[in-house]
């Protein structure tokens, strides 16, 4: 596709069981892009949905040639789904947003304005987040911890909602790693990056798909994938408690040989044993997480597999999957 033939903006939207939100998302998104007179393509990535989202997306594709649908072979997760959408993004700029309308389509013109002013990456900064106080505090703590441990300058309170110039998308696609934390990789590739404050809206309908387990996994992707500091923290903890142990040993020996007293026993002993065992297990857990990631990268499995792609009159298998069309099936 030549530069002249490309749309100005592609919008990549990962979808997992969002059938209740798709019609409203499509309506608001096309209204915003039409009013701003922006040539566009909307790339929905069906991440193994089981609630009818796939059929709804196919219907949108049939009614609007500007809608592309990428069906993954199963649920691979939010971050791999984003990467699958970026693989098919060919426009001069690409917007990444969620499918639950927490990322408001009405904010896209502001991202476009900053891009047209010369920015290569325009990321949304959450000026206001909905949800419980505990959840808001957890997100706030995570972003600050990530910034502290990371060897990159990852912006505070910025999620995946962003606009990236085509050369940034090409740079992201060229990275060889398979376990991807998109907002961290976005910071890694560099270029000129600016933030735009955008409120984080309530989910339009349905239940959040990020469970506590998935949120913890995402946090580990960020903390471990972009820093070696957790390993240093484990080392420092070992040094500190080794020094404490030396002091306790000296105290015990002085009590026995100098003051002729038997050191008080079980309580202090159990505290030392439990603390040391906890530090050892924590250190092993940190090392194990790094080893797990090395193991996953060494296996070389793709981050996702595409079942098929529906794009402007073309239905094809995904180029990343190396899966031939199934052909007619016997009745």
């Amino acid at each position: 596709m030549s530069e002249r033939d490309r749309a100005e903006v592609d919008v990549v939207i990962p979808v997992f069981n969002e059938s209740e939100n798709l019609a409203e998302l499509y309506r608001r998104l096309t209204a915003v892009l039409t009013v701003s007179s922006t040539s566009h393509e909307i790339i929905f990535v069906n991440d193994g949905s089981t609630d009818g989202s796939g059929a709804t997306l196919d219907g949108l594709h049939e009614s609007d040639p500007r809608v592309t649908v990428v069906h993954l072979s199963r649920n691979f997760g939010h971050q791999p789904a984003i990467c699958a959408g970026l693989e098919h993004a060919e426009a001069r700029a690409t917007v990444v947003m969620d499918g639950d309308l927490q990322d408001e389509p009405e904010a896209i013109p502001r991202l476009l304005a900053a891009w047209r002013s010369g920015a290569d990456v325009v990321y949304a900064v959450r000026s206001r987040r909905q949800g419980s106080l505990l959840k808001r505090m957890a997100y706030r703590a995570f972003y600050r911890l990530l910034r502290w441990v990371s060897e990159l300058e990852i912006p505070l309170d910025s999620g995946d909602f962003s606009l990236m110039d085509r050369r940034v998308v090409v740079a992201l696609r060229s990275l060889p790693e398979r376990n991807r934390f998109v907002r961290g990789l976005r910071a890694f590739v560099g270029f000129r990056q600016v933030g735009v404050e955008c409120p984080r809206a309530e989910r339009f309908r349905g239940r959040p798909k990020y469970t506590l387990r998935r949120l913890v996994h995402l946090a580990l992707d960020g903390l471990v994938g972009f820093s070696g500091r957790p390993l240093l923290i484990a080392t420092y903890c070992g040094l500190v408690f080794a020094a404490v142990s030396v002091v306790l040993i000296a105290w015990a020996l002085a009590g026995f040989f100098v003051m002729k007293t038997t050191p008080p026993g079980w309580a202090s002993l159990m505290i030392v044993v439990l603390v040391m065992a906890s530090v050892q297990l924590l250190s092993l857990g940190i090392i194990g997480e790094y080893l797990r990631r090395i193991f996953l990268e060494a296996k070389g499995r793709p981050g996702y597999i595409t079942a098929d792609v529906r794009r402007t009159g073309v239905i094809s298998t995904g180029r990343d999957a190396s899966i031939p069309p199934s052909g007619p099936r016997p009745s």
Side-chain angles (χ1 to χ4, degrees), residues 141-155:
F142 162 69
Y143 281 113
R144 279 142 190 83
L145 178 62
L146 177 61
R147 188 166 191 174
W148 178 66
V149 303
S150 177
E151 295 160 3
L152 297 172
E153 190 70 18
I154 298 179

Side-chain angles (χ1 to χ4, degrees), residues 44-296:
F44 289 102
V45 181
N46 176 24
D47 187 23
S49 297
T50 57
D51 68 339
S53 294
T56 301
L57 293 175
D58 288 343
L60 291 176
H61 165 72
E62 293 295 330
S63 63
D64 187 346
R66 297 169 300 180
V67 172
T68 292
V69 182
V70 180
H71 292 283
L72 301 188
S73 62
R74 65 171 175 84
N75 177 243
F76 286 90
H78 185 256
Q79 300 295 297
I82 291 176
C83 294
L86 293 178
E87 280 294 328
H88 294 84
E90 301 291 343
R92 293 190 285 273
T94 299
V95 172
V96 175
M97 63 185 299
D98 288 342
D100 55 9
L101 287 169
Q102 287 189 287
D103 298 331
E104 296 181 329
E106 291 75 15
I108 291 178
R110 298 168 61 196
L111 306 184
L112 284 168
W115 171 65
R116 289 166 180 156
S117 296
D120 295 302
V121 175
V122 188
Y123 53 86
V125 178
R126 276 74 180 268
S127 59
R128 185 183 72 252
R129 182 187 289 276
Q130 304 295 331
S132 67
L133 177 62
L134 181 61
K135 188 173 183 179
R136 296 200 305 271
M137 291 176 62
Y139 272 112
R140 182 178 177 83
F142 162 69
Y143 281 113
R144 279 142 190 83
L145 178 62
L146 177 61
R147 188 166 191 174
W148 178 66
V149 303
S150 177
E151 295 160 3
L152 297 172
E153 190 70 18
I154 298 179
L156 291 175
D157 303 314
S158 64
D160 295 315
F161 187 25
S162 62
L163 179 147
M164 295 176 282
D165 187 81
R166 175 162 174 77
R167 59 180 178 161
V168 177
V169 173
V170 171
L172 283 176
R173 295 199 305 219
S174 71
L175 298 177
E177 61 199 83
R178 292 167 175 80
N179 291 286
R180 297 192 162 215
F181 182 64
V182 174
R183 67 198 74 171
L185 295 176
R186 189 181 67 204
F188 169 80
V189 297
F191 299 98
R192 184 184 174 192
Q193 306 202 9
V194 300
V196 173
E197 285 198 355
C198 300
R200 181 76 165 166
E202 290 272 10
R203 162 177 275 275
F204 183 66
R205 285 178 185 157
R207 296 170 61 86
K209 304 305 183 295
Y210 260 117
T211 61
L212 178 61
R213 181 179 64 84
R214 288 180 178 236
L215 286 172
V216 170
H217 190 271
L218 181 66
L220 286 175
D221 283 341
L223 296 174
V224 176
F226 291 89
S227 175
R229 284 188 180 176
L231 291 171
L232 290 176
I233 293 171
T235 301
Y236 293 150
C237 285
L239 291 173
V240 168
F241 284 103
V244 172
S245 298
V246 169
V247 172
L248 290 175
I249 291 171
W251 169 72
L253 291 175
F256 184 78
F257 289 107
V258 178
M259 293 177 283
K260 305 298 181 180
T261 60
T262 302
W266 290 106
S268 58
L269 178 62
M270 288 303 297
I271 289 172
V272 172
V273 169
L274 290 174
V275 169
M276 293 302 296
S278 299
V279 172
Q280 290 172 348
L281 290 174
L282 174 63
S283 301
L284 285 174
I286 293 174
I287 295 169
E289 184 62 26
Y290 280 94
L291 288 175
R292 184 182 75 86
R293 291 169 186 277
I294 294 172
F295 173 64
L296 292 175

